Amino acid sequence: MSGPAFALAFLAYLGAAAGAVGFLATRRAPLGRAATRLTVAGVLLHALTFALQTVEMGRPPLGNLGEALSFSAWALALLSLMTEARFGNRLVGAFLLPLVALFTGAAALLPREVARAAAENAWIWIHVTLVMLGSAAFAFIFGVGLMYLLQERQLKAKAVGPLAFRLPPLEVLDALAYEALWLGFPLLTLGIILGSLQGKQLWGAYWVWGTKETWSLLTWLIYGLLLLARLNAGMRGRKAAILSILGFGAVLLTFLGVSLMAPPRLN
């Protein structure tokens, strides 16, 4: 039952991403409105998918990489809608919705094996939820960082392009990234702590220096340094945007590349 709902959600996200990018390129208002409506439809269908999967499997749909990535895509789509409603600017979706569609499509192709320990331990669902919500916030910062660099480039150009007058001001974009950092970093921190506690219970050690754990720690350090730099050194603007984009590269490497290469724990 959940399969058709998920497929429709993916198609809605794909259409929304195409509409948002088309709106960015052509400035045709109907494309922007269509992108918003399709995003709303995708979020609702995606939520229905989670509900159906929970009933079908008897557990939250967060037991493997594909399910976790699907949840992160849904959270990112929701963040896109919330930002659009807050600022009344549909261009945000052009930088976020392609990621939503990409994550949702990739989620359907990833392995579906579920470790027995994960299936039997409810705390692991909380751990995964926190980490993937944090990852959605980092994806949001990545999109906002791209917007910032594009806006800054246009404002510095001799002939200011039309997008410079339609994208949010640099100050707003910088503030959005800062708010999302304060959301994502604590969520990732709590997720890592909870995962460490569960590691002690399941495998007898709080921390195992495996590939995935090492890159997770690297991701945490990158965003922790970014937060410290913004708090203590006043880093903002272009440097903060570039570091956030690099940090998101570490997130992708952690939850996609490394997770696919690392052997699963079956106990």
Side-chain angles (χ1 to χ4, degrees):
M1 293 177 62
S2 62
F6 180 83
L8 288 173
F10 170 66
L11 290 176
Y13 289 146
L14 200 61
V21 173
F23 176 57
L24 176 69
T26 67
R27 293 180 288 174
R28 294 182 179 178
L31 287 175
R33 290 193 294 269
T36 300
R37 291 167 184 168
L38 284 171
T39 306
V40 172
V43 166
L44 293 176
L45 286 166
H46 212 157
L48 175 62
T49 300
F50 295 146
L52 293 174
Q53 287 176 334
T54 301
V55 172
E56 291 168 0
M57 298 182 295
R59 60 169 177 81
L62 293 165
N64 53 52
L65 179 61
E67 293 171 357
L69 188 61
S70 175
F71 178 75
S72 185
W74 175 80
L76 181 58
L78 196 57
L79 282 174
S80 179
L81 285 176
M82 292 170 62
T83 306
E84 179 183 318
R86 179 179 175 184
F87 295 98
N89 192 316
R90 286 194 167 99
L91 287 180
V92 174
F95 295 85
L96 299 178
L97 294 176
L99 286 175
V100 173
L102 177 63
F103 290 174
T104 307
L109 302 176
L110 291 171
R112 295 291 176 179
E113 292 82 7
V114 179
R116 185 174 69 250
E120 297 173 353
N121 195 322
W123 284 103
I124 291 183
W125 310 129
I126 302 176
H127 156 69
V128 175
T129 299
L130 292 172
V131 171
M132 298 317 293
L133 285 175
S135 298
F138 297 148
F140 178 85
I141 298 172
F142 170 80
V144 171
L146 291 178
M147 293 177 71
Y148 186 98
L149 294 179
L150 177 60
Q151 177 75 311
E152 183 190 51
R153 180 178 180 181
Q154 290 191 108
L155 292 175
K156 288 182 176 180
K158 294 181 180 179
V160 178
L163 287 181
F165 300 103
R166 303 178 66 237
L167 291 173
L170 292 177
E171 295 78 9
V172 171
L173 293 173
D174 190 63
L176 270 176
Y178 190 48
E179 291 176 6
L181 181 60
W182 270 111
L183 173 66
F185 184 73
L187 287 171
L188 178 63
T189 302
L190 289 174
I192 289 177
I193 291 173
L194 187 56
S196 177
L197 293 175
Q198 290 305 303
K200 176 64 174 179
Q201 178 180 346
L202 296 173
W203 302 296
Y206 287 109
W207 191 265
V208 179
W209 287 99
T211 309
K212 186 174 181 179
E213 289 79 6
T214 301
W215 279 98
S216 296
L217 181 61
L218 176 61
T219 302
W220 182 84
L221 287 173
I222 289 173
Y223 283 101
L225 289 173
L226 176 58
L227 184 58
L228 284 176
R230 297 201 63 147
L231 287 173
N232 297 326
M235 177 186 287
R236 54 182 301 174
R238 179 181 178 82
K239 291 182 179 180
I242 292 174
L243 185 55
S244 66
I245 291 172
L246 294 176
F248 186 64
V251 171
L252 290 181
L253 185 59
T254 298
F255 295 110
L256 291 181
V258 174
S259 295
L260 288 174
M261 292 185 294
R265 293 191 182 98
L266 299 179
N267 59 330

